[in-house]
Amino acid sequence: MALSKRITTLTAGGSDGWDVFIRARKMIAAGTPVTELTIGEHDIRTAAPILQSMHQSALGGHTGYAMVPGTDTLRDTVAKRTMERTGVPTSRDNVLITPGGQSALFAAHAAACDAGDTALYLDPYYATYPGTLRGVGAIPHAVQTRAEDAFQPRASDIEAAAQGAKSLLINSPNNPTGTVYSRETLQGIAEVCQRHDLWLISDEVYDSQVWEGEHISPRSLPGMAERTLVVGSMSKSHAMTGSRCGWLIGPEEAINHLITFATHTTYGVPGFIQDASVFGLEQGTSFEDAVGAPFRRRRDIAQKVLAEQNTVGLIPAHGAMYLMLDVRATGLSGDAFANALLDAEHIAVMPGESFGASAAGHIRVAMTIADDDFERALRTLCDFAERYAT
Ligand code: PMP
């Protein structure tokens, strides 16, 4: 039976960038220990009190269909968190609860783009982005950012691609680069969006993980609340990746239509997951800081280790759970480096090329293993790089 082009061309036929990861998993399955610095998942599990609240809620009967837009309590709690963090007036009418940030990204683009519309995104990018845009029938168009700018996007590059586009997707703190967009960067982006009447879809799932500078939500910039859809999630801030609970924040009219979209796609998020999310959010910023603390610590370790050599370069790591390392001095592509490192040292990292052409000659390291192991792996990685460079 023939399948739709939409579904068969989702990844545009190319490699989806997970080859090194899959090879590492095969080595592990065959009994070879591999240090995995590949996927963006905490090395801790969801905290027991959150699970207890989930359990209580389920035992209490919150196991039927939940309200499609999200429960009033969770929508209110997300609105309150948003106001506290950004200062933008936000009520439950601005909030749709979604099954994770990924589904919020899909819904946001469905709201912004018709089939055949151009949807802009920035390279390097989180692996699912182009497929998500294709999934709603939009035409993804990547705008390059540059290693020499520490991957802060230039407004002029976005401007050059903006004519006729419908939306722009940004992500700060950024996966895969660890970059946190400055006020100046965001201001430039906001001006382009206003000039070209673009929806700005702002993926802020790492908003609780900022090690230097501050997280600025572009929704808080003048004239932006009416054209910005913010993607949020419990996954990274509360180590609840498997619970699949996220949200979209936007203008009331957009959220109303998005609620109808949710009725026809996801039909909402389980009530006991939403109740546990309320409990998690009520623990406040100190809880979110504690979940992020290991990454901040390992970022500091990485700065120390990398300062002791000059083959591997560190893109300023200001947020999120990743390091973007420049390995161009080895003469290898990111892909060749990652494959050779896996073979020689049994350390798995993601080639920069998996995240787009702008990150060629780089590798992404997820800071998701215990501090000592992390430090040892980084030292081994640097020694390995030095052997190539000399
Ligand atoms: N955006 C970015 C930048 C991510 O890194 C991820 C997960 N790795 C997501 C969105 C989606 O997260 P989730 O669906 O778990 O909320």
Side-chain angles (χ1 to χ4, degrees):
M1 275 306 290
L3 290 162
S4 73
K5 286 195 190 59
R6 174 170 291 177
I7 204 144
T8 51
T9 60
L10 215 55
T11 59
S15 150
D16 60 5
W18 289 95
D19 306 355
V20 177
F21 170 77
I22 291 163
R23 220 155 64 72
R25 283 287 157 100
K26 281 190 182 148
M27 285 167 73
I28 293 167
T32 307
V34 173
T35 304
E36 284 192 284
L37 304 171
T38 43
I39 45 174
E41 188 157 36
H42 317 68
D43 46 327
I44 53 166
R45 301 286 85 186
T46 307
I50 295 181
L51 297 177
Q52 272 149 8
S53 106
M54 202 180 285
H55 185 65
Q56 287 304 323
S57 169
L59 284 178
H62 208 170
T63 54
Y65 291 123
M67 298 285 287
V68 172
T71 63
D72 287 349
T73 324
L74 181 55
R75 292 171 86 198
D76 288 345
T77 309
V78 169
K80 181 163 163 281
R81 179 184 187 272
T82 303
M83 276 199 290
E84 282 166 5
R85 285 180 172 253
T86 68
V88 188
T90 307
S91 79
R92 79 169 67 139
D93 297 329
N94 302 111
V95 180
L96 169 70
I97 303 302
T98 62
Q102 180 56 46
S103 114
L105 283 164
F106 183 78
H109 284 90
C113 298
D114 280 311
D117 284 343
T118 298
L120 305 177
Y121 65 109
L122 300 173
D123 179 331
Y125 51 83
Y126 171 50
T128 68
Y129 281 0
T132 304
L133 311 194
R134 281 187 209 103
V136 306
I139 299 168
H141 182 101
V143 176
Q144 307 298 306
T145 62
R146 303 150 201 250
E148 72 255 34
D149 297 338
F151 297 109
Q152 294 272 339
R154 291 186 192 178
S156 54
D157 289 336
I158 301 170
E159 172 79 40
Q163 190 67 43
K166 274 288 171 61
S167 61
L168 168 66
L169 170 57
I170 65 170
N171 168 225
S172 174
N174 187 269
N175 175 13
T177 61
T179 302
V180 175
Y181 292 176
S182 67
R183 185 173 289 281
E184 194 190 354
T185 295
L186 290 167
Q187 192 57 52
I189 287 172
E191 282 160 21
V192 176
C193 289
Q194 291 180 16
R195 215 165 17 250
H196 291 275
D197 204 20
L198 302 182
W199 278 100
L200 180 61
I201 297 166
S202 179
D203 179 345
E204 302 181 23
V205 301
Y206 294 99
D207 66 352
S208 64
Q209 298 181 0
V210 177
W211 324 132
E212 261 170 68
E214 55 170 335
H215 170 67
I216 300 166
S217 174
R219 181 168 173 263
S220 68
L221 299 177
M224 289 307 288
E226 66 252 38
R227 63 172 65 252
T228 304
L229 297 169
V230 175
V231 173
S233 175
M234 298 298 290
S235 288
K236 312 295 177 175
S237 54
H238 292 75
M240 288 178 69
T241 46
S243 290
R244 312 311 302 132
C245 189
W247 54 82
L248 254 183
I249 294 167
E252 197 176 325
E253 191 199 348
I255 295 298
N256 278 338
H257 285 290
L258 280 155
I259 292 168
T260 308
F261 187 71
T263 302
H264 295 271
T265 51
T266 63
Y267 216 81
V269 174
F272 52 93
I273 300 282
Q274 296 196 57
D275 289 345
S277 299
V278 170
F279 176 87
L281 290 166
E282 281 172 347
Q283 306 313 299
T285 49
S286 60
F287 181 88
E288 298 187 33
D289 290 348
V291 171
F295 307 122
R296 177 190 290 267
R297 247 182 7 244
R298 292 168 200 158
R299 195 287 303 241
D300 293 348
I301 291 171
Q303 285 185 326
K304 184 189 74 182
V305 170
L306 287 155
E308 291 165 9
Q309 53 83 61
N310 44 32
T311 304
V312 179
L314 174 63
I315 298 296
H318 291 171
M321 46 176 86
Y322 313 98
L323 305 173
M324 184 59 88
L325 302 182
D326 182 348
V327 295
R328 285 177 290 184
T330 61
L332 297 177
S333 67
D335 198 46
F337 185 95
N339 276 295
L341 182 70
L342 180 61
D343 289 334
E345 305 291 352
H346 301 169
I347 295 173
V349 298
M350 294 295 286
E353 292 85 357
S354 308
F355 308 101
S358 303
H362 290 70
I363 53 168
R364 189 194 74 171
V365 171
M367 300 186 279
T368 46
I369 59 171
D371 296 15
D372 289 353
D373 297 335
F374 180 69
E375 177 161 355
R376 206 170 312 118
L378 270 188
R379 287 192 191 285
T380 306
L381 185 156
C382 289
D383 291 346
F384 172 83
E386 266 167 45
R387 287 204 297 278
Y388 269 91
T390 49

